[in-house]
Amino acid sequence: MAARKSAKSTSLLARLAKGPVICAEGYLFEFERRGYLQAGAFVPEVVLEHPELVEQLHREFVHAGSDVVEAFTYYAHRAKLRLIGREKDLKAMNLTALKLAKKVARDTGTLFAGDICNTNVYDPKDSKSEKAVRGMFEEQVGWAADAGVDFIIAETIGYLAEALLALEAIKRAKKTAVVTFAIHRDDITREGLPVVEAMKHLEGAGADVIGLNCIRGPRTMMPLLRKIRRAVKCEMAALPVPYRTSRKQPTFQSLQDADCDCIPGERPFPTALDPFTCNRYELGEFAKEAYGLGIRYLGVCCGAGPHHIRAVAEALGRHPPASRYSPDMSKHAFLGTHRQVPKSYKAYAKHL
């Protein structure tokens, strides 16, 4: 794949000043679907067990239009590895993920991003948890900074206080910070702060890019994005999950499937979400609307496939390498309009 030479020496903020930056996420769900990652703990063991597959997926997302190669260190923190009995592999997992992402980013001229995320141990009522969270963020940020990342993402965070700890660690490392919240059923952080108020805090604390990722699909993320965009001046990010959430079921964890009676626990999340998946055109429309609001850091989170990323890229006027294979139904055996498609087959199309 040819390198994107224009991106090699350009910072994230400089890129955003010129136009949209697309960031592909979704590694957890994609590897779970492919049979290389376990749903539940969602620890990226594949980084150590099949590094060649991680590198390949990075390349697939770049091929589809991603401007960012994000190190697959989501949930590769101390608390999660302790949960599955692999804490001894913590450093190796992080360093390997960073090495793989850096290689692809440098090969393709894309931006190289480090990644930290929700720790699932932060508790505002437990002072010891703050120390533990700070320690986890600092060690992961330290490894990312040493690897030479262009910027660091702190994602899927529910508490403003935890987000500020992440931002503090990133800024101490003198790196550009992208901080995104995951907002659940109610339009508040887990402390109970309105989302807009929390975003103002983040902007005031020096976050370079702020916004939302994961949990909510396009339909239920967009209303919050509109409110946030009116309230803050800094760059914004929007990375929904590709699922058809609704006002009554605003998150992919709250979705219910009345047409299926064999789902374990009767909850489609996380392994029976297939019927709710957005098509590529819905993600393209979301990207256009978000960009129209002035949101320039765009992508898709858990559940994303390369075709979703290509749709986002094409909706923004891009033509990534994967666009060579974008649909051309004129050549379809029955639905095609090409002169070489037999008239008898075109006529039969109504029977398909």
Side-chain angles (χ1 to χ4, degrees):
M1 184 185 301
R4 299 182 191 174
K5 295 180 181 179
S6 62
K8 280 189 173 180
S9 61
T10 308
S11 71
L12 172 64
L13 295 179
R15 290 285 303 277
L16 287 169
K18 293 179 180 179
V21 169
I22 299 169
C23 179
E25 294 186 350
Y27 291 87
L28 284 176
F29 273 41
E30 186 64 15
F31 277 121
E32 194 280 331
R33 283 191 293 245
R34 296 182 182 191
Y36 294 99
L37 188 147
Q38 187 177 48
F42 280 121
V43 178
E45 297 174 89
V46 65
V47 167
L48 294 179
E49 295 170 356
H50 296 282
E52 74 285 357
L53 300 183
V54 177
E55 179 180 339
Q56 178 60 31
L57 186 54
H58 283 318
R59 294 186 185 278
E60 288 178 26
F61 277 132
V62 172
H63 178 72
S66 184
D67 299 307
V68 178
V69 180
E70 181 178 349
F72 190 22
T73 54
Y74 186 91
Y75 274 172
H77 57 60
R78 191 170 294 278
K80 275 289 187 179
L81 268 70
R82 184 182 300 129
L83 179 67
I84 65 167
R86 295 194 65 168
E87 192 173 0
K88 63 180 176 58
D89 295 323
L90 174 69
K91 186 174 182 179
M93 189 175 292
N94 278 265
L95 295 186
T96 301
L98 288 160
K99 181 180 179 181
L100 294 168
K102 184 175 185 176
K103 178 183 179 183
V104 176
R106 298 300 180 249
D107 284 351
T108 59
T110 46
L111 294 165
F112 170 34
D115 179 76
I116 59 176
C117 67
N118 51 309
T119 63
N120 299 332
V121 298
Y122 178 77
D123 183 349
K125 297 178 182 178
D126 181 3
S127 59
K128 292 181 180 179
S129 72
E130 180 177 324
K131 181 179 179 181
V133 169
R134 180 179 280 110
M136 284 190 279
F137 285 156
E138 287 180 349
E139 61 188 354
Q140 282 194 289
V141 166
W143 291 322
D146 288 345
V149 296
D150 296 309
F151 66 98
I152 297 177
I153 300 161
E155 61 168 315
T156 325
I157 297 178
Y159 287 104
L160 171 61
E162 188 172 24
L164 291 172
L165 290 173
L167 176 60
E168 179 185 318
I170 296 169
K171 285 302 179 181
R172 187 178 294 117
K174 298 182 179 180
K175 291 294 179 180
T176 299
V178 175
V179 185
T180 51
F181 280 108
I183 301 300
H184 294 269
R185 292 183 69 103
D186 300 313
D187 295 349
I188 55 176
T189 66
R190 291 190 63 183
E191 296 103 327
L193 287 172
V195 174
V196 171
E197 185 179 339
M199 290 294 177
K200 288 181 178 179
H201 275 289
L202 269 184
E203 182 180 33
D208 298 289
V209 182
I210 62 176
L212 305 177
N213 85 298
C214 209
I215 306 299
R216 292 190 177 214
R219 293 177 187 171
T220 53
M221 181 177 282
M222 185 58 72
L224 285 180
L225 293 170
R226 293 193 194 103
K227 293 179 183 178
I228 297 165
R229 181 68 284 178
R230 291 194 294 266
V232 302
K233 296 180 179 179
C234 66
E235 294 285 0
M236 276 185 61
L239 301 96
V241 292
Y243 297 105
R244 291 174 176 169
T245 53
S246 65
R247 184 174 298 179
K248 289 185 178 180
Q249 298 171 17
T251 67
F252 69 163
Q253 290 149 331
S254 62
L255 289 170
Q256 298 176 355
D257 191 346
D259 296 318
C260 183
D261 62 2
C262 61
I263 301 172
E266 299 182 356
R267 184 191 294 270
F269 174 85
T271 55
L273 290 165
D274 310 62
F276 305 100
T277 304
C278 294
N279 63 50
R280 64 191 71 184
Y281 307 107
E282 291 171 292
L283 270 300
E285 290 302 306
F286 172 86
K288 285 193 287 188
E289 184 174 356
Y291 188 63
L293 294 174
I295 300 171
R296 290 184 281 202
Y297 186 103
L298 297 162
V300 190
C301 203
C302 294
H307 65 300
H308 291 120
I309 300 303
R310 181 178 64 183
V312 168
E314 292 179 342
L316 297 172
R318 303 274 189 83
H319 295 283
S323 290
R324 175 188 171 191
Y325 302 102
S326 291
D328 178 3
M329 293 301 290
S330 71
K331 299 180 180 69
H332 189 271
F334 296 94
L335 304 174
T337 57
H338 194 279
R339 60 183 175 79
Q340 292 185 29
V341 177
K343 291 182 180 179
S344 61
Y345 277 70
K346 292 178 184 179
Y348 194 78
K350 62 186 178 182
H351 298 291
L352 296 180

